[in-house]
Amino acid sequence: MASLSLQPKFSLHPNNSILHFHPQNKPQIIFFTRKVKIKTKTKCSSIDPQQQQQKQRESFTRKKKSVTETEKGVDPVGFLTKLGITHKAFAQFLRERYKSLKDLKAEIFTRHLNLQEMASGFEILGTHRHKEHRVDYMDWAPGARYCALVGDFNGWSPTTNAAREGLYGHDDYGYWFIILEDKLREGEEPDELYFQQYNYVDDYDKGDSGVTIDEVFQRANDEYWEPGEDRFIKNRFELPAKLYERLFGPNGPQTIEELGEIPDAETRYKAHKELHKDDPPSNLPPFDVIDNGKEYDIFNVVVDPAWQEKFRNKKPPLAYWTETRKGRKAWLKKYTPAIPHGSKYRVYFNTPDGPLERVPAWANFIQPDAEGKQAYAIHWEPPPEYTYKWKHTAIKPPKSLRIYECHVGISGSEPKISSFNDFTEKVLPHVKRAGYNAIQLIGIVEHKDYFTVGYRVTNFFAVSSRYGTPEDFKRLVDEAHGLGLLVFLDIVHSYSAADEMVGLSRFDGSNDCYFHTGKRGHHKYWGTRMFKYGDLDVLHFLLSNLNWWISEYKIDGFHFHSLASMLYTHNGFASFTGDLEEYCNQYVDNDAVKYLILANEILHALHPNIITIAEDVTFYPGLCEPTSQGGLGFDYHVNLSASEMWLSLLKNTPDHEWSMSKITSTLLGNKNYADKMLVYAENHNQSISGGQSLAEILLSQGNDKAPQSNELLLRGSSSLKMIKLITFTIGGRGYLNFMGNEFGHPKRVEFPMPSNNFSFSLANRCWDLLEKEGVYQDLFRFDKDMMKLDKNEKVLSRGLPNIHHVKDTNMVISYLRGPLLFVFNFHPTDSYERYCIGVDEAGEYQVILNTDERRYGGQGIVKEEQYLQRTISKRVDGLRNCIKVSLPSRTAQVYKLSRILRI
């Protein structure tokens, strides 16, 4: 396949040990090293066991040193060493995985020029407008015998635009290629140049000036060549005749017999120099031979430096060629587009099982199951005046992430599917006002049935047409960037929809195109198809898909959904005890792991500011470790156990029986990776999957018409604020909130489906609640100030908290994070006066956030005059000083060290 000329550039030869990436802004180097072969000789002899162990240790040391020196910083088990983990089987698994990954890359380079080309298939696959008045179509279907593009542009004819097997229709790897020529309009003459190029973006170009091709070429010759330089171009035989005359004289031999023995090169050179020593200066390029008396000098040619510099500075006459290129109006005047914008089309295959039609795998706009008919692709090539023009540049990632997770379809207040434009105009300003710095979009990629939320993806390169057009989505991303918001995409590469009419399943009639055959090709419980990650063409598809969303839509990062489904052949449905053996046994899909490593390496090299987030309930070892140290290379991982814990506590455990130790340990997760952790108080699955949101549990009585009592309302809002605050501040560098939960949305999400008669009554958000005084407005005000706390005090970007006070009997938790002190009293009834909390620094501590303030719907028990507390020199909680605070039940306070006292 042809190599692509893209920016930024990087190149790699399979035998080269270094992969050089040259991004536009910041150069990086990723090292892919050669294999290290260590040969050892063994002899049979009786060796003392201690001596044998010593020799093994020395051998390991030598081997480790050799590997380190050769691999230049790459250590396949590096993160195990860093964490002090010793597990022989897992370490061996990592080394073998590293070797197989190098073999995979070597195999890739037999097919692709470099890894950038591997991840840029969207440049040539699918339908693409060619400069020579035509459309090129390419798709991968190794099991097909015949391929055609059918649509309303050719009357759905399977023979008009086709390619046959054996007639240059496809290459050895099963990629079919079809050229669709634009149709010459009646009365128009073909172009003078058969390779005439068109600029389809601009209405007019230089080629529309009326200057003939002959005039352009003549001017190119006259202006480009200097006097004498075109002499041998016009007289092709003059140069060889002159050369012959130089060698043999004006009356040289005319036949081979007359030629005789030719003198050696040195003799001929010296004779030539002597003969022409008195020649006048020439305007021909002055080449000469270095002659220092050495035998090989006659082969060393030297060029006059002045002439060489002049030659290098002369640009080729490409500027004249652009004068032959015509604009869009000239093209439309002369030709009818082979596939007009908005045309409906599919790909037609003839297979061993008969003919079939499919939606092309690389299509970027789909109309799924329209009007009860089979889905089709829509050719998206809007005129320049309707093409979205980007206004804003992407922003640099912040040190902490406050992510607002959204679903565009349910983002409106009306019972219908909301659009990209609605979301851009109404929701984005709310997200900015609420204080978040990123949005994460779910359900954007085209998927099977609206009620599947977006997780059964059918067309990986297409935005869902339910919400609008590709141009509408570009506007959404651009406006988000203009508001200072990053845009993350929930990407589902862990499985695919099993639908054969619109998806990839049995795409070319075979069962082993994109997916595994047999049981392994099907998810055990979800009815979806499992990708064949070890296949180069499947890797080409998936890696290109990631790069596509960044290149086409300027996405800032990816949330990789449900990694457990792809990492294990049991799809993650197994009990995990934490033993490393469970992460390197026969149930681990090593091909899937290598795909994730490749994805992270390529994404971070091509796009240095990209953010990748791993969602893995099994927390695979090394998720967020560098790939050079045996990790998978993700930037963040999601702690899903936190949201599950809160839901379980609220549903199954009375308030007074909550364990403070369990809460802190669950929220902290694995301390080795706490700084790479993103955490939910409640994730979208709890409400979308038929469950209840935390607000629905805490603020409602199960009957929408029944008013909530003030006491229960106070209890619910107080608990919700504390749950959010401790989840937000005790974890890692990021926090996620699902749309509407910031103000305690009272209703769950339920998508229209047969079980509810396709009702949209719960597939929306009640934004009108924010306009009324009451608990929802109070909760939103608190959430907004919580986001402001991180923005002003950099809470999430600080180091890990020092959790020094956890009392299960009193139900009090306290911890320090930088200059901030957090104190929580979860007890449902007991309040404490002058409760002693340890602090390290002596000084004055000022309350900067109090969940019980009246503007947050609280009782305001702690008065403002109690907000300033001075430390007492008394050792408490293992710290040198303490403060005595007032802790009403179900309240939390955040103190800031406002003044340090030096003793």
Side-chain angles (χ1 to χ4, degrees):
M1 299 171 68
S3 63
L4 305 176
S5 177
L6 302 172
Q7 290 291 335
K9 288 282 189 183
F10 66 86
S11 61
L12 175 62
H13 190 273
N15 294 324
N16 194 350
S17 62
I18 301 179
L19 167 59
H20 294 280
F21 290 85
H22 302 289
Q24 293 174 340
N25 300 322
K26 182 179 178 182
Q28 290 187 348
I29 297 179
I30 289 182
F31 298 98
F32 294 156
T33 59
R34 298 190 182 97
K35 293 181 180 178
V36 179
K37 296 183 179 179
I38 300 177
K39 297 182 179 180
T40 59
K41 295 183 179 180
T42 59
K43 293 188 292 184
C44 297
S45 60
S46 60
I47 302 177
D48 182 74
Q50 293 184 353
Q51 293 178 346
Q52 187 173 6
Q53 290 178 4
Q54 178 65 24
K55 285 192 173 184
Q56 288 175 349
R57 283 195 293 268
E58 292 174 356
S59 174
F60 175 78
T61 302
R62 289 195 302 270
K63 182 176 180 180
K64 185 176 180 181
K65 182 179 179 182
S66 175
V67 168
T68 303
E69 290 176 352
T70 305
E71 297 182 352
K72 300 179 182 178
V74 176
D75 184 357
V77 296
F79 82 91
L80 294 182
T81 306
K82 181 185 77 171
L83 300 175
I85 298 174
T86 56
H87 192 282
K88 186 176 180 180
F90 191 70
Q92 182 62 25
F93 174 80
L94 291 179
R95 292 189 181 97
E96 291 176 356
R97 188 182 75 192
Y98 176 70
K99 293 177 182 177
S100 64
L101 183 63
K102 290 199 296 183
D103 292 339
L104 174 62
K105 290 171 183 173
E107 187 181 0
I108 288 173
F109 299 135
T110 63
R111 295 267 302 275
H112 298 273
L113 179 65
N114 50 44
L115 290 176
Q116 183 176 18
E117 181 184 287
M118 175 72 168
S120 301
F122 56 85
E123 293 283 351
I124 54 177
L125 282 135
T127 56
H128 293 279
R129 167 59 59 184
H130 195 280
K131 293 180 180 179
E132 297 172 9
H133 53 78
R134 73 186 208 213
V135 171
D136 294 343
Y137 172 76
M138 184 182 288
D139 217 329
W140 181 56
R145 296 176 176 176
Y146 176 93
C147 176
L149 209 61
V150 298
D152 52 14
F153 61 91
N154 64 7
W156 300 91
S157 168
T159 58
T160 304
N161 304 109
R164 295 178 180 275
E165 186 178 26
L167 296 173
Y168 306 105
H170 65 76
D171 62 13
D172 294 338
Y173 304 106
Y175 286 88
W176 295 85
F177 183 62
I178 299 173
I179 294 177
L180 298 92
E181 296 280 356
D182 292 341
K183 300 177 180 64
L184 194 66
R185 294 185 185 273
E186 187 176 354
E188 294 289 339
E189 295 293 331
D191 291 309
E192 298 178 59
L193 300 175
Y194 73 92
F195 44 79
Q196 175 70 60
Q197 293 188 351
Y198 286 88
N199 176 1
Y200 301 102
V201 176
D202 300 324
D203 283 341
Y204 296 97
D205 216 319
K206 293 182 179 180
D208 300 325
S209 62
V211 179
T212 65
I213 300 297
D214 293 335
E215 290 174 326
V216 172
F217 286 172
Q218 182 61 46
R219 192 167 75 252
N221 283 328
D222 294 342
E223 297 178 5
Y224 182 76
W225 297 107
E226 295 186 10
E229 284 185 339
D230 61 344
R231 172 179 170 186
F232 296 112
I233 294 176
K234 296 179 179 178
N235 303 280
R236 292 187 301 162
F237 299 107
E238 182 177 354
L239 183 61
K242 287 289 184 183
L243 178 61
Y244 188 83
E245 184 178 339
R246 281 189 179 186
L247 290 174
F248 304 109
N251 299 313
Q254 301 298 310
T255 64
I256 295 180
E257 290 76 11
E258 295 177 9
L259 184 62
E261 185 177 354
I262 301 176
D264 62 273
E266 183 178 6
T267 302
R268 297 200 312 274
Y269 169 68
K270 290 180 178 179
H272 168 75
K273 292 293 288 183
E274 180 63 27
L275 181 64
H276 295 281
K277 62 183 179 180
D278 297 325
D279 285 0
S282 171
N283 63 352
L284 294 177
F287 295 97
D288 207 344
V289 177
I290 300 172
D291 186 9
N292 294 324
K294 296 179 181 179
E295 183 177 353
Y296 54 80
D297 277 341
I298 57 171
F299 301 106
N300 294 335
V301 178
V302 66
V303 182
D304 177 21
W307 182 89
Q308 189 176 40
E309 185 64 22
K310 174 184 174 183
F311 179 80
R312 287 176 176 171
N313 290 336
K314 182 177 282 291
K315 297 179 180 179
L318 296 179
Y320 299 100
W321 176 248
T322 61
E323 292 194 39
T324 69
R325 188 179 60 181
K326 297 185 177 181
R328 182 170 169 272
K329 281 195 173 181
W331 164 62
L332 289 176
K333 179 178 180 296
K334 185 180 285 285
Y335 294 97
T336 301
I339 308 181
H341 168 62
S343 297
K344 305 170 185 177
Y345 69 97
R346 300 189 195 103
V347 60
Y348 174 96
F349 294 125
N350 196 346
T351 72
D353 296 330
L356 53 86
E357 290 184 12
R358 292 284 187 262
V359 173
W362 298 74
N364 59 12
F365 197 40
I366 310 297
Q367 185 65 52
D369 303 322
E371 300 172 359
K373 300 179 181 178
Q374 184 181 345
Y376 49 76
I378 299 175
H379 182 64
W380 194 254
E381 190 185 2
E385 58 269 24
Y386 296 108
T387 302
Y388 186 78
K389 308 296 189 300
W390 294 91
K391 297 180 292 184
H392 306 286
T393 57
I395 56 179
K396 291 186 178 180
K399 292 183 178 179
S400 63
L401 292 176
R402 304 184 298 274
I403 305 173
Y404 193 86
E405 192 176 41
C406 322
H407 186 285
V408 170
I410 65 170
S411 64
S413 55
E414 298 180 21
K416 65 174 186 178
I417 299 177
S418 214
S419 69
F420 288 134
N421 290 333
D422 292 336
F423 184 90
T424 302
E425 293 163 9
K426 298 175 183 177
V427 181
L428 283 182
H430 168 78
V431 177
K432 178 65 176 178
R433 185 171 66 253
Y436 292 84
N437 59 14
I439 61 171
Q440 181 170 294
L441 299 168
I442 63 175
I444 292 298
V445 187
E446 191 61 78
H447 50 280
K448 172 67 176 174
D449 298 323
Y450 185 49
F451 67 83
T452 62
V453 187
Y455 292 123
R456 296 190 178 182
V457 176
T458 53
N459 306 97
F460 286 79
F461 289 83
V463 295
S464 179
S465 59
R466 298 175 179 90
Y467 316 129
T469 68
E471 309 307 307
D472 295 336
F473 184 58
K474 289 177 183 177
R475 176 173 173 255
L476 187 158
V477 175
D478 197 26
E479 292 297 327
H481 287 162
L483 292 172
L485 300 172
L486 296 174
V487 181
F488 300 151
L489 194 66
D490 196 48
I491 198 78
V492 186
H493 281 185
S494 45
Y495 48 83
S496 175
D499 189 270
E500 296 182 9
M501 292 289 95
V502 67
L504 299 176
S505 187
R506 295 181 60 86
F507 180 70
D508 61 358
S510 67
N511 197 36
D512 57 355
C513 185
Y514 286 95
F515 309 108
H516 287 290
T517 57
K519 291 184 178 180
R520 191 177 176 187
H522 297 265
H523 195 286
K524 290 181 179 295
Y525 299 98
W526 296 345
T528 50
R529 297 302 309 271
M530 305 306 298
F531 283 107
K532 189 164 49 177
Y533 299 102
D535 188 284
L536 290 192
D537 298 290
V538 175
L539 287 177
H540 182 46
F541 179 83
L542 294 175
L543 292 170
S544 296
N545 183 239
L546 295 174
N547 196 16
W548 157 262
W549 289 103
I550 304 171
S551 303
E552 182 71 11
Y553 295 109
K554 303 187 186 300
I555 295 297
D556 301 296
F558 296 103
H559 177 278
F560 283 75
H561 172 76
S562 187
L563 293 189
S565 296
M566 63 190 293
L567 290 175
Y568 312 96
T569 55
H570 53 59
N571 304 131
F573 287 84
S575 59
F576 284 84
T577 64
D579 188 344
L580 287 180
E581 180 70 29
E582 297 166 341
Y583 302 104
C584 60
N585 58 25
Q586 70 273 23
Y587 299 111
V588 175
D589 189 337
N590 205 20
D591 290 333
V593 179
K594 288 186 289 186
Y595 159 67
L596 293 174
I597 294 173
L598 269 180
N600 276 304
E601 285 186 351
I602 292 175
L603 284 177
H604 287 96
L606 291 179
H607 312 283
N609 289 329
I610 204 70
I611 291 175
T612 57
I613 303 168
E615 180 193 292
D616 177 23
V617 293
T618 70
F619 193 68
Y620 193 85
L623 269 180
C624 297
E625 294 289 347
T627 57
S628 62
Q629 300 301 302
L632 273 62
F634 286 96
D635 298 301
Y636 295 92
H637 71 91
V638 181
N639 182 356
L640 293 173
S641 58
S643 57
E644 293 171 358
M645 175 198 68
W646 290 122
L647 185 63
S648 176
L649 287 175
L650 290 174
K651 281 191 168 184
N652 307 317
T653 308
D655 294 4
H656 62 277
E657 294 182 8
W658 286 12
S659 168
M660 302 298 102
S661 302
K662 178 183 178 181
I663 288 174
T664 54
S665 62
T666 304
L667 291 177
L668 276 176
N670 188 323
K671 64 179 181 180
N672 294 321
Y673 301 105
D675 63 328
K676 299 290 184 71
M677 183 174 67
L678 302 180
V679 63
Y680 283 103
E682 54 181 323
N683 65 52
H684 63 270
N685 285 328
Q686 291 172 200
S687 54
I688 287 181
S689 302
Q692 291 178 295
S693 67
L694 301 189
E696 188 175 8
I697 297 171
L698 289 168
L699 302 179
S700 69
Q701 296 176 323
N703 185 347
D704 293 339
K705 296 182 180 179
Q708 182 70 281
S709 68
N710 290 335
E711 182 181 349
L712 290 176
L713 205 61
L714 178 63
R715 176 254 184 187
S717 63
S718 299
S719 297
L720 196 55
K721 285 179 288 185
M722 293 182 69
I723 287 171
K724 286 186 174 185
L725 183 61
I726 193 171
T727 305
F728 181 64
T729 58
I730 201 174
R733 293 180 180 270
Y735 173 79
L736 298 96
N737 170 74
F738 183 65
M739 179 175 58
N741 290 344
E742 72 278 7
F743 62 88
H745 198 279
K747 299 178 181 179
R748 67 186 182 278
V749 177
E750 190 176 281
F751 282 80
M753 58 185 75
S755 60
N756 60 16
N757 294 321
F758 297 98
S759 170
F760 281 86
S761 61
L762 294 176
N764 51 22
R765 299 280 84 180
C766 302
W767 300 109
D768 58 309
L769 295 175
L770 287 173
E771 301 172 3
K772 305 173 184 177
E773 286 289 339
V775 63
Y776 303 110
Q777 200 175 81
D778 296 338
L779 286 172
F780 176 64
R781 193 178 292 118
F782 172 76
D783 194 88
K784 185 178 178 180
D785 284 353
M786 195 169 67
M787 297 301 111
K788 191 183 296 183
L789 178 69
D790 176 61
K791 183 178 180 181
N792 295 338
E793 304 297 338
K794 315 297 181 190
V795 179
L796 301 184
S797 57
R798 295 185 182 275
L800 296 180
N802 174 19
I803 304 175
H804 61 285
H805 189 99
V806 180
K807 303 293 183 182
D808 284 320
T809 53
N810 296 337
M811 299 186 70
V812 174
I813 299 172
S814 182
Y815 51 89
L816 290 158
R817 198 164 185 181
L820 303 178
L821 172 68
F822 299 85
V823 187
F824 296 81
N825 178 13
F826 277 94
H827 205 288
T829 57
D830 291 355
S831 300
Y832 309 104
E833 289 294 333
R834 296 184 62 77
Y835 192 94
C836 205
I837 297 291
V839 294
D840 201 26
E841 290 283 356
E844 293 180 345
Y845 286 78
Q846 175 76 37
V847 173
I848 59 175
L849 186 65
N850 177 12
T851 63
D852 194 43
E853 287 191 13
R854 292 189 178 277
R855 64 198 185 105
Y856 302 144
Q859 295 175 292
I861 297 174
V862 179
K863 307 303 179 185
E864 284 195 23
E865 55 266 23
Q866 298 174 278
Y867 274 17
L868 185 65
Q869 296 289 337
R870 180 170 289 191
T871 57
I872 301 171
S873 182
K874 178 182 177 182
R875 195 167 188 85
V876 175
D877 299 328
L879 301 176
R880 294 174 294 178
N881 304 282
C882 72
I883 60 173
K884 293 187 176 181
V885 299
S886 176
L887 290 179
S889 62
R890 281 203 186 99
T891 65
Q893 300 161 18
V894 182
Y895 290 83
K896 181 180 180 182
L897 179 61
S898 57
R899 189 162 70 94
I900 299 176
L901 298 180
R902 300 298 182 188
I903 300 175

